[in-house]
Amino acid sequence: ELTLITLLNYVGDNFCEYRNLGHDNYKSLLLSYSDASHNYGPLEVKNVIEKSDNFKVAAIAIAAVKCPQHIME
C-alpha cells in the first residue's frame, strides 16, 4: 500500500531532477506527480492525497530537504 511518505519521497526526488533540468516549480511538480501516477497508479496516488492531513506542509518539507536550493528561491 502506498503511503504519504513513500509518495512524497518519490515525488521529491523527481521534483528535484526536473528542477535541475531547468523546469519551473509548477511544471516540475506536475511532471513528478505524473511520474508517480504512472509508477503507483493514478487511483493510489489520488487516494493518498485525499486521505492525507497537512499534505502541503509535508510536501514542502520533503522538497526542502531534498533540494533546498530550488525551494528557497
Side-chain angles (χ1 to χ4, degrees):
E1 179 179 330
L2 182 63
T3 66
L4 176 61
I5 296 301
T6 302
L7 174 62
L8 291 179
N9 276 313
Y10 183 88
V11 169
D13 287 338
N14 287 358
F15 173 83
C16 295
E17 288 179 27
Y18 286 122
R19 287 293 286 131
N20 288 337
L21 291 173
H23 298 300
D24 65 23
N25 283 339
Y26 190 67
K27 187 171 187 176
S28 296
L29 188 61
L30 289 174
L31 289 168
S32 298
Y33 277 99
S34 178
D35 291 346
S37 291
H38 179 75
N39 190 58
Y40 295 108
L43 295 179
E44 282 291 316
V45 171
K46 180 181 178 184
N47 191 34
V48 167
I49 293 169
E50 285 179 335
K51 290 183 177 181
S52 298
D53 295 326
N54 298 319
F55 184 83
K56 183 178 179 181
V57 173
I60 291 170
I62 294 285
V65 168
K66 291 187 176 285
C67 52
Q69 72 276 18
H70 295 304
I71 302 304
M72 302 312 232
E73 292 178 347

